[in-house]
Amino acid sequence: MSAYHLCLLALAALGTWACTGGATRWQAGFAWLGLGAMLLAMIGGLPGLVLGATVMVMLIPFALRGPAPLLCLHRAASHLCMAGVLVALFLLNGGAICASTSIPLVTPDGMTSLPMPVLAETYLLAIVLGLAAYAVYGLTLCLNGALRNRPAVIAEVAPMTLATVGMGVGFG
């Protein structure tokens, strides 16, 4: 796993830790399980990817439960986007989705385009559009948190959004 991907994992851990602050034991357990599923999907090859992405998607209904509906929606969207991005990276890179030489979904030059079947190309485009919508939603929540002086919202949303978007975006 590259240093870049380790930093993204650390960001996700920071966001997970922030979201467990006022959570029940079950909510906190599901949040940490989601982080573990992300790690498994990142380093486990195809079996780890399938299991990790499946667990992340299965955690969506549990992420939607909580006292703050907008934050719960962000948590659920984070699980869905991360699972989608990891599968998309597998389409581009095979088992080396987090290698230092892995091909990102989006670069400063635009969306990565490789010769592949139309269905795979459509999936990649859908994930990029979903990731963009997720980034806008995360930014909106952070700005709302800043305007209303809610640092706990920023502490949870900013690292999770950066980690999820960062998985799909390459700056090299």
Side-chain angles (χ1 to χ4, degrees):
M1 186 181 303
S2 71
Y4 176 74
H5 291 99
L6 282 174
C7 289
L8 294 177
L9 188 63
L11 268 174
L14 181 65
T16 301
W17 177 72
C19 100
T20 59
T24 66
R25 281 182 151 176
W26 283 100
Q27 290 170 327
F30 287 134
W32 289 111
L33 180 62
L35 183 68
M38 176 184 158
L39 175 63
L40 180 64
M42 289 171 73
I43 64 171
L46 181 58
L49 174 67
V50 170
L51 182 60
T54 302
V55 168
M56 281 188 274
V57 170
M58 290 175 66
L59 288 174
I60 290 172
F62 301 106
L64 287 170
R65 296 181 182 158
L70 294 177
L71 284 177
C72 291
L73 183 61
H74 182 268
R75 292 172 193 153
S78 181
H79 286 311
L80 184 62
C81 285
M82 185 59 80
V85 165
L86 289 168
V87 170
L89 289 173
F90 182 80
L91 288 175
L92 290 172
N93 298 292
I97 60 176
C98 293
S100 58
T101 58
S102 64
I103 301 168
L105 286 171
V106 179
T107 65
D109 297 326
M111 187 177 134
T112 301
S113 181
L114 296 174
M116 58 179 52
V118 173
L119 189 59
E121 189 77 30
T122 304
Y123 176 77
L124 294 180
L125 180 61
I127 292 300
V128 168
L129 292 175
L131 201 56
Y134 172 76
V136 168
Y137 183 60
L139 180 62
T140 303
L141 286 177
C142 286
L143 288 175
N144 187 16
L147 292 174
R148 296 177 187 245
N149 196 22
R150 294 183 178 158
V153 171
I154 298 168
E156 176 182 341
V157 173
M160 291 304 287
T161 303
L162 288 172
T164 304
V165 172
M167 279 300 290
V169 178
F171 297 105

